[in-house]
């Protein structure tokens, strides 16, 4: 029974992401008026997200079965993680370069600010753009390695795996030094928690992929589920609000952009691979598997040998004719 808990968590994550997106799309416009806006309706969404996180954590921690490293997975079972990593890395590189171009040419900066408000804001934005490119390059490289073969572990690989972590960490710092950090919790909960879970997920993934430490991948799996719900729902909500013409609601939700959406999909694909990918059998296990297969085929044929078949055809013992 417990072996179905983690597959159930994958399905629950997909359902929770859809429901969270619907709730945010419906309730966010009602919270925009500074005088008449009912900000407390956001507690409905917050409560649903927290309940989903609690249930997912219980399912992951209670589920049985060991979570394998990517080097131990069958290659084509790593395909979703590899493709998602390449796409997320490419989008992160393009987005960082585009944001840097808009900043230098037009003076427009990515959320949460629309322009530079201090030297610290300028410094953190510079680091965000630099490590966005570096982190994207690592994800692209990692994706091709996952698609093509096994990983070779080294100190340089472990350090490179931290590039996406530094990118999201600097992004959190920039969020905290901006005006957005002064907004009440019921209005900024989604943004801050999204950044927080993304940072924890990327850090756990860096430890997992580089085999640093002996921590169980269960924490990575929980963070992957939570990151999926928050980033995917946030990005889709901003797109929906823009298409509906809810300008103020869109501006308040635009911190979650296309890179966050791709990272959320990458987190979900990582979780899917951790739960469903099959492990590569050792040579002795492969021999046992082949022997079991041959035995099963003989049983399906009724256990008849060649002599038995000839005896049935000619009605005599084939050994006597010889």
């Amino acid at each position: 029974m417990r072996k179905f808990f983690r597959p159930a968590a994958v399905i629950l994550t997909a359902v929770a992401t859809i429901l969270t997106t619907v709730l945010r799309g419906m309730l966010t416009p009602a919270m925009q008026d500074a005088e008449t806006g009912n900000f407390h309706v956001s507690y409905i969404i917050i409560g649903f997200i927290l309940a989903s996180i609690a249930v997912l954590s219980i399912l992951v921690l209670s589920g049985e079965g060991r979570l394998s490293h990517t080097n131990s997975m069958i290659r084509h079972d790593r395909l979703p993680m590899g493709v998602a990593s390449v796409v997320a890395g490419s989008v992160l590189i393009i987005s960082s370069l585009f944001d840097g171009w808009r900043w230098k040419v037009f003076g427009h900066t990515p959320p949460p600010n629309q322009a530079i408000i201090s030297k610290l804001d300028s410094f953190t934005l510079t680091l965000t753009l630099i490590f966005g490119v570096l982190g994207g390059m690592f994800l692209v490289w990692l994706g091709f390695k996952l698609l093509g073969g096994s990983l070779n572990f080294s100190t340089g690989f472990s350090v490179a795996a931290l590039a996406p972590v530094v990118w999201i960490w600097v992004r959190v710092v920039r969020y905290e030094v901006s005006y957005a950090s002064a907004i009440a919790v019921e209005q900024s909960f989604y943004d801050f928690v999204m950044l927080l879970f993304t940072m924890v997920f990327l850090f756990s993934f860096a430890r997992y992929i580089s085999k640093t430490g002996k921590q169980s991948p269960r924490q990575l799996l929980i963070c992957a589920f939570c990151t999926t719900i928050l980033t995917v729902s946030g990005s889709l909500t901003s797109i929906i609000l823009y298409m509906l013409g809810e300008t103020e609601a869109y501006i308040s939700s635009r911190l979650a952009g296309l890179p966050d959406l791709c990272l959320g999909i990458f987190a979900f694909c990582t979780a899917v691979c951790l739960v469903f990918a099959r492990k590569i059998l050792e040579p002795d296990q492969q021999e046992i598997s082949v022997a079991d297969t041959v035995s099963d085929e003989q049983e399906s044929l009724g256990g008849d040998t060649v002599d038995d078949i000839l005896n049935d055809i000619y009605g005599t013992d084939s050994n006597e004719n010889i």
Side-chain angles (χ1 to χ4, degrees):
M1 183 65 179
R2 291 170 58 188
K3 66 181 180 180
F4 298 109
F5 283 5
R6 288 169 184 167
V10 175
I11 299 175
L12 176 60
T13 299
V15 174
T17 302
I18 296 173
L19 292 179
T20 303
T21 303
V22 173
L23 288 174
R24 294 181 66 174
M26 293 174 57
L27 299 179
T28 301
M31 299 184 292
Q32 300 312 307
D33 195 316
E35 297 181 357
T36 63
N38 186 10
F39 299 111
H40 296 291
V41 297
S42 65
Y43 288 132
I44 299 175
I45 309 174
I46 295 173
F48 178 76
I49 293 175
L50 293 178
S52 301
I53 292 174
V55 174
L56 288 170
S57 300
I58 293 173
L59 290 175
V60 172
L61 296 176
S62 302
E64 67 179 11
R66 188 173 181 179
L67 302 174
S68 304
H69 190 270
T70 53
N71 278 2
S72 301
M73 298 177 184
I74 296 177
R75 182 179 300 179
H76 64 265
D77 285 355
R78 302 182 313 214
L79 182 63
M81 188 191 301
V83 173
S85 181
V86 173
V87 173
S90 301
V91 171
L92 184 55
I93 293 173
I94 296 173
S95 176
S96 298
L97 294 175
F98 179 71
D99 287 339
W101 174 75
R102 289 181 70 243
W103 176 28
K104 294 302 181 182
V105 176
F106 301 104
H108 299 161
T109 60
N113 302 328
Q114 295 182 347
I116 295 298
I117 61 175
S118 64
K119 292 183 178 180
L120 183 58
D121 184 30
S122 176
F123 178 70
T124 54
L125 176 58
T126 302
L127 292 181
T128 301
L129 299 176
I130 292 174
F131 281 98
V133 174
L134 295 177
M137 292 173 61
F138 171 77
L139 290 175
V140 171
W141 175 85
L142 176 64
F144 283 115
K145 291 294 291 184
L146 292 174
L147 295 173
S150 60
L151 299 173
N152 298 319
F153 306 107
S154 63
T155 304
F157 176 74
S158 301
V159 173
L162 293 175
V165 182
V166 177
W167 165 74
I168 192 63
W169 179 78
V170 179
R171 194 175 169 200
V172 171
V173 173
R174 181 168 181 259
Y175 177 85
E176 287 299 318
V177 301
S178 70
Y179 68 90
S181 61
I183 299 177
V185 63
E186 62 266 20
Q187 302 175 50
S188 62
F189 173 84
Y190 318 112
D191 295 337
F192 180 73
V193 176
M194 179 194 71
L195 294 176
L196 183 63
F197 270 108
T198 304
M199 182 174 62
V200 178
F201 163 71
L202 290 175
F203 181 71
S204 299
F205 182 80
R207 288 172 56 87
Y208 162 79
I209 202 67
S210 61
K211 282 192 172 182
T212 302
K214 298 181 180 180
Q215 193 171 7
S216 172
R218 290 184 300 179
Q219 178 182 345
L220 170 63
L221 190 57
I222 295 173
C223 293
F225 287 142
C226 298
T227 301
T228 300
I229 295 175
L230 292 163
T231 56
V232 175
S233 67
S235 304
L236 293 181
T237 298
S238 64
I239 295 174
I240 292 172
L241 294 175
Y242 178 80
M243 295 177 64
L244 293 176
E246 297 285 351
T247 306
E248 294 183 356
Y250 163 72
I251 293 175
S252 68
S253 305
R254 70 190 186 101
L255 181 66
L258 188 57
D260 299 291
L261 175 62
C262 294
L263 282 175
I265 296 174
F266 169 65
F268 185 72
C269 291
T270 299
V272 169
C273 291
L274 285 173
V275 173
F276 294 108
R278 291 165 294 175
K279 188 176 181 180
I280 299 175
L281 297 178
E282 300 295 334
D284 54 343
Q285 293 177 327
Q286 292 179 356
E287 294 177 0
I288 295 174
S289 178
V290 171
D292 292 340
T293 303
V294 173
S295 177
D296 293 339
E297 291 178 353
Q298 289 181 349
E299 290 179 0
S300 64
L301 293 174
D304 294 339
T305 63
V306 176
D307 291 336
D308 293 334
I309 296 174
L310 292 175
N311 188 34
D312 292 338
I313 295 175
Y314 295 106
T316 59
D317 190 348
S318 60
N319 291 329
E320 293 179 359
N321 295 334
I322 295 176

